[in-house]
Amino acid sequence: METNPRNITWHPSLSHTERAHLRHQLGLTIWLTGLSASGKSTIATALEQHLLSVPLAAYRLDGDNIRFGLNADLGFSPADRTENIRRIAEVAKLFADSCSVAITSFISPYRADRALARKLHDQAGLPFVEVWVDVSVEEAERRDPKGLYKKAREGVIKEFTGVSAPYEEPEAAEVVVRSGETSVEEAVVQIVKYLEEKGLLKVVGQ
């Protein structure tokens, strides 16, 4: 006889298909990854505004903002970075399952962590679209709107991605935005075009 040491039970709900027909849209996660100052958050904000104007239910989960609440207990060690992404992947999956478009903007520097986020969605039968906002460290450091690269170079900030911690570039992102060559508006058009071509923004049940 199997035992349940935590004494918890998974409670089934509406199927994703049933919910999609009731809400008239599919749910998915759009996962923006890239260096600090690559433009992830700016693109994510513009993408959210565009999708809401369609109108589609969409919600942006931002790396900095999440650390004020849900992940306030985490630092920037490799273990904490992994747990940060695991939690966000689970939250994004819930948004996607609710038939909303979850838009995440996180550095998410490790391939294994992004692969886990994708796997969680794949196992639930939910679309996962990785968007690599590609920018060189030199360009990101030139922008440096928060002065973080400067502090990292001075040793004030430890474990800073691109300076004293690695960023593992995506090997098969669905969309690659060349941030140094692409405006925010063009980036949104590029992402939306991909979503439309894959039928992910279609109206369901009408």
Side-chain angles (χ1 to χ4, degrees):
M1 180 178 178
E2 294 185 3
T3 60
N4 184 346
R6 294 192 294 168
N7 296 307
I8 58 175
T9 302
W10 178 263
H11 294 279
S13 183
L14 290 174
S15 71
H16 186 71
T17 300
E18 291 171 324
R19 190 175 284 112
H21 277 78
L22 289 169
R23 299 199 66 186
H24 306 302
Q25 74 173 73
L26 298 174
L28 68 143
T29 289
I30 305 170
W31 191 281
L32 281 74
T33 175
L35 293 171
S36 178
S38 63
K40 298 182 305 299
S41 295
T42 304
I43 293 170
T45 298
L47 178 60
E48 179 189 32
Q49 291 173 340
H50 171 78
L51 294 178
L52 288 171
S53 71
V54 169
L56 290 168
Y59 192 81
R60 179 176 62 93
L61 299 166
D62 181 79
D64 284 350
N65 295 352
I66 289 294
R67 283 183 176 273
F68 280 100
L70 177 65
N71 292 347
D73 60 321
L74 299 177
F76 292 91
S77 69
D80 278 1
R81 286 176 183 269
T82 291
E83 176 60 13
N84 180 54
I85 297 307
R86 187 196 68 80
R87 292 183 193 178
I88 295 309
E90 291 284 5
V91 172
K93 185 184 75 171
L94 292 175
F95 272 92
D97 187 50
S98 77
C99 292
S100 295
V101 180
I103 306 168
T104 74
S105 53
F106 291 79
I107 294 173
S108 44
Y110 303 128
R111 291 192 189 105
D113 295 343
R114 298 193 301 267
L116 173 61
R118 184 185 294 275
K119 181 179 179 181
L120 290 172
H121 286 72
D122 288 347
Q123 290 175 335
L126 298 168
F128 182 91
V129 177
E130 185 176 37
V131 177
W132 178 21
V133 184
D134 180 19
V135 69
S136 68
V137 173
E138 293 75 18
E139 173 61 19
E141 194 164 356
R142 185 191 66 77
R143 298 174 180 180
D144 201 14
K146 303 173 187 175
L148 300 180
Y149 284 92
K150 183 175 184 294
K151 291 180 180 179
R153 295 292 183 193
E154 294 170 347
V156 176
I157 300 177
K158 310 296 183 183
E159 301 285 348
F160 189 79
T161 303
V163 176
S164 51
Y167 178 78
E168 299 173 358
E169 297 180 351
E171 297 177 319
E174 281 78 8
V175 180
V176 178
V177 174
R178 307 294 182 192
S179 179
E181 310 164 8
T182 309
S183 70
V184 173
E185 293 77 13
E186 290 169 339
V188 170
V189 169
Q190 183 182 353
I191 296 168
V192 169
K193 181 181 179 182
Y194 174 86
L195 298 175
E196 290 176 340
E197 288 175 348
K198 297 299 180 181
L200 296 173
L201 300 183
K202 66 182 180 182
V203 176
V204 180
Q206 286 187 339

